[in-house]
Amino acid sequence: QVQLVESGGGLVQAGGSLRLSCAASGRSISNYAMGWFRQTPGKEREFVAAINWGGGSTYYANSVKGRFTISRDNAKNTVSLQMNSLKPEDAAVYYCAAQDSRVVATTNPAGFGSWGQGTQVTVSS
């Protein structure tokens, strides 16, 4: 499995931006589809964004489309999530995940086998 570590979370005012990063180790992520998910207390983990192995195909939850951008740098073994125009409802713990597939076969969390520990994003109104 690939090990994942997220960073970049923090406190931001509504309307502001944050950039989350996910650093992978143990294996190259070039053969993995990658995704970002988020979770708030008492709720299920929800899909945010995903990207195929080469970065040519990206997928977004409707709630973040047009505001968030997922990208990857296989040479650096990293995945990023640029979050703009943040809203209070975007506050959550954000997780990076790897899917053992070069294409995004599913956006269901159960389809991702490796997970980071999460990074907290807080958005003040």
Side-chain angles (χ1 to χ4, degrees):
Q1 282 189 341
V2 60
Q3 288 77 49
L4 304 170
V5 178
E6 303 93 338
S7 62
L11 172 64
V12 63
Q13 286 189 332
S17 298
L18 278 177
R19 186 176 181 86
L20 304 184
S21 294
C22 173
S25 61
R27 289 188 179 183
S28 169
I29 63 169
S30 59
N31 288 320
Y32 292 83
M34 300 296 295
W36 285 95
F37 294 79
R38 65 189 182 188
Q39 189 171 22
T40 54
K43 293 189 177 181
E44 292 187 353
R45 195 165 295 187
E46 66 169 351
F47 168 73
V48 174
I51 188 167
N52 75 339
W53 69 279
S57 296
T58 56
Y59 307 84
Y60 297 95
N62 287 335
S63 58
V64 307
K65 202 171 292 184
R67 300 187 297 120
F68 290 13
T69 302
I70 187 172
S71 60
R72 65 190 296 158
D73 186 334
N74 288 341
K76 294 182 178 179
N77 231 24
T78 59
V79 181
S80 298
L81 184 68
Q82 177 67 42
M83 306 187 296
N84 298 329
S85 303
L86 282 160
K87 304 175 181 180
E89 52 264 41
D90 294 319
V93 177
Y94 281 72
Y95 297 89
C96 175
Q99 183 173 124
D100 193 8
S101 169
R102 301 188 94 192
V103 299
V104 180
T106 178
T107 58
N108 188 315
F112 290 75
S114 299
W115 293 85
Q117 83 291 345
T119 185
Q120 177 73 51
V121 171
T122 303
V123 184
S124 63
S125 57

